[in-house]
Amino acid sequence: MAWYSKYLTVYNRPFQDVPLDTVKEVRERIMAMQSNQPVVSLVVIAYNEATRLAACLWSLSNIATSYPIEILGINNNSADETEQVFKAFGVKCITEKKQSPGFARQCGIHSASGKYHFFLDADTMYPPQYVNLMMGKLTKPGVACVSSFWSFYPDDRHSKFSLTLFEFIRDAFLYFQHFNRPELCVRGMVFAFNTDYLHDIKIRTDIRRGEDGSLALELKQYGKIAFLYHRKARVMTGYGTLNEESMWQSLVKRIKIQSRALPGFFFKKNRYEDSEENLIH
């Protein structure tokens, strides 16, 4: 059985459907894990994620690590029960009323205490060795931040074969892209960094998306953007926009998009222009 199978039993379900015994067990584990002097901060941002957050927190309750950790929740002005779900599992929840991942990430950075900060997303499930494996990279000399890879869970609409093919092509593109433009390979749900470097850096709050890659780009001045390819660090997440199209449509669409980006493989870049539609005015 896959490590994430039990979490799928509550994924995309109303919080009221989560068994009370599960809530109690997860709450007790999370509260026992919380340290008053954390080295690692696991910060979950959520916007209207009440139906997926329970699976995320359940997975975090099974993180196996010797590092002192804290788990924080950032409710990005949700209109559903996201805040109540955080509290039901004993996770400190802070509400950020300004809307955007950038504002939510910024709130998390200001609220966390750990030297090492992990960006986590509420619709994502994390394997038990995730923290240890990420920290194994992050604590190496010359490394400023680390990003990992992710998979989608198989369901009735997405077969394991089609997902494997899709992810193989996507991961191959990201692998070759990371040599010269590693910041473009970073995703917020699988991103961790050393907060010592944030004194002169601020996460961008003026864009709708891309705050993770922009932060990684800034962190490059302090060290390497490292990538973790270990299968035991690969998280499982939902489909997002993939739900609106078939896997074949998604594959063809991304091949077209990524083929246009191929020339960028050969050139490093230290500045990117934002499209008007991505700017928050």
Side-chain angles (χ1 to χ4, degrees):
M1 180 180 293
W3 64 266
Y4 56 86
S5 296
K6 60 182 177 181
Y7 309 133
L8 290 179
T9 62
V10 300
Y11 195 87
N12 267 334
R13 294 176 181 269
F15 180 60
Q16 292 78 7
D17 291 351
V18 181
L20 292 178
D21 288 347
T22 299
V23 175
K24 180 183 178 186
E25 180 184 346
V26 173
R27 177 187 176 91
E28 289 176 351
R29 279 207 299 269
I30 286 178
M31 294 184 73
M33 294 166 70
Q34 303 279 27
S35 172
N36 293 326
Q37 295 181 307
V39 173
V40 173
S41 295
L42 306 178
V43 182
V44 183
I45 69 162
Y47 170 65
N48 290 342
E49 292 287 2
T51 62
R52 291 173 284 271
L53 181 54
C56 173
L57 296 178
W58 190 358
S59 72
L60 294 181
S61 76
N62 287 315
I63 290 289
T65 181
S66 58
Y67 288 98
I69 68 171
E70 66 175 344
I71 300 174
L72 295 177
I74 307 299
N75 170 30
N76 196 195
N77 204 30
S78 299
D80 64 2
E81 297 177 315
T82 292
E83 182 177 1
Q84 292 91 322
V85 176
F86 273 125
K87 291 180 177 179
F89 284 104
V91 175
K92 180 181 179 181
C93 177
I94 301 153
T95 296
E96 171 53 68
K97 293 188 176 295
K98 294 178 182 177
Q99 200 75 56
S100 85
F103 281 116
R105 304 283 191 203
Q106 176 183 258
C107 178
I109 289 171
H110 290 166
S111 305
S113 303
K115 176 178 180 178
Y116 300 99
H117 192 103
F118 280 60
F119 281 172
L120 307 181
D121 283 359
D123 64 347
T124 303
M125 295 161 280
Y126 295 85
Q129 292 299 319
Y130 181 72
V131 170
N132 277 348
L133 290 170
M134 290 284 280
M135 288 293 287
K137 284 274 189 179
L138 189 52
T139 54
K140 287 184 176 180
V143 173
C145 56
V146 177
S147 190
S148 185
F149 284 75
W150 67 99
S151 291
F152 303 104
Y153 61 87
D155 64 7
D156 293 338
R157 293 186 58 198
H158 308 88
S159 69
K160 189 171 183 179
F161 174 78
S162 64
L163 287 174
T164 300
L165 178 61
F166 177 85
E167 291 168 11
F168 175 79
I169 294 173
R170 180 203 64 195
D171 292 355
F173 174 86
L174 293 174
Y175 176 76
F176 287 109
Q177 181 177 249
H178 97 277
F179 289 105
N180 284 319
R181 297 194 181 180
E183 60 278 355
L184 296 182
C185 303
V186 170
R187 298 296 183 273
M189 64 183 149
V190 284
F191 185 46
F193 51 89
N194 187 329
T195 60
D196 288 346
Y197 303 130
L198 296 186
H199 300 298
D200 301 316
I201 296 176
K202 291 184 179 179
I203 192 164
R204 292 185 63 182
T205 57
D206 61 331
I207 51 179
R208 302 182 190 281
R209 58 190 176 276
E211 79 293 339
D212 39 20
S214 294
L215 179 58
L217 181 63
E218 292 293 322
L219 287 168
K220 271 206 308 187
Q221 62 187 293
Y222 297 105
K224 180 181 178 182
I225 302 174
F227 289 88
L228 182 61
Y229 302 106
H230 202 295
R231 291 297 303 182
K232 290 185 177 180
R234 185 173 285 255
V235 307
M236 301 298 298
T237 193
Y239 292 94
T241 56
L242 289 184
N243 266 331
E244 301 168 7
E245 51 196 20
S246 70
M247 289 304 300
W248 174 249
Q249 290 173 322
S250 299
L251 186 61
V252 171
K253 177 181 176 181
R254 280 155 179 78
I255 288 175
K256 289 180 179 178
I257 293 173
Q258 292 172 352
S259 63
R260 293 197 293 268
L262 287 177
F265 280 2
F266 305 103
F267 304 98
K268 294 184 179 181
K269 200 168 184 178
N270 293 317
R271 189 173 182 274
Y272 295 85
E273 295 294 333
D274 291 288
S275 63
E276 182 65 24
E277 64 176 13
N278 195 41
L279 293 172
I280 299 175
H281 298 288

